[in-house]
Amino acid sequence: QVQLVESGGGLVQAGGSLKLSCAASGNIVSINAMGWYRQPPGKQRELVARLTSAGNTNYADSVKGRFTISRDNVKTTVYLQMNSLKPEDTAVYYCAASLTPPRQEWGQGTQVTVSS
């Protein structure tokens, strides 16, 4: 079992920055990849960024060049650095872990609100 706890969300003005953190605990050896998803109000959940245990990353086109995903293996924490934030980035951001055997765990979500 893996538990994920997000933190770092909040209210920020357009053009500002936030750094989200996701602390993983439990059977962390079973984690193959971790990622960040977001769900804007009234919209579908979407992938923001993903990082595999091999170090491969991928990003949504809308955040490339602005967001960076990274992992601190010693502290079992994944980060999402968000720069040049836009109002359309407003969403609940969720941390997720892909496990083996196939299974996905989710954090509780953290609200990010970007004002114009």
Side-chain angles (χ1 to χ4, degrees), residues 40-99:
K43 298 182 179 180
Q44 298 285 345
R45 183 187 65 189
E46 62 183 1
L47 175 68
V48 176
R50 186 172 182 267
L51 174 65
T52 71
S53 59
N56 303 118
T57 61
N58 61 281
Y59 298 89
D61 288 341
S62 60
V63 307
K64 286 181 179 178
R66 299 189 298 122
F67 291 10
T68 303
I69 187 171
S70 62
R71 184 173 188 175
D72 185 333
N73 289 308
V74 176
K75 298 182 179 180
T76 64
T77 302
V78 170
Y79 305 95
L80 184 68
Q81 178 66 50
M82 305 185 294
N83 299 324
S84 302
L85 283 162
K86 306 173 181 179
E88 49 264 45
D89 294 319
T90 295
V92 177
Y93 284 70
Y94 297 92
C95 180
S98 298
L99 313 178

Side-chain angles (χ1 to χ4, degrees), residues 5 14 18 22 25 28 31 51 70 75 77 80 88 100-101 110:
V5 179
L18 282 175
C22 175
S25 61
I28 59 175
I31 298 176
L51 174 65
S70 62
K75 298 182 179 180
T77 302
L80 184 68
E88 49 264 45
T100 182
T110 185

Side-chain angles (χ1 to χ4, degrees), residues 6-28:
E6 303 101 328
S7 62
L11 176 64
V12 65
Q13 294 186 53
S17 298
L18 282 175
K19 188 174 184 178
L20 306 183
S21 298
C22 175
S25 61
N27 189 18
I28 59 175

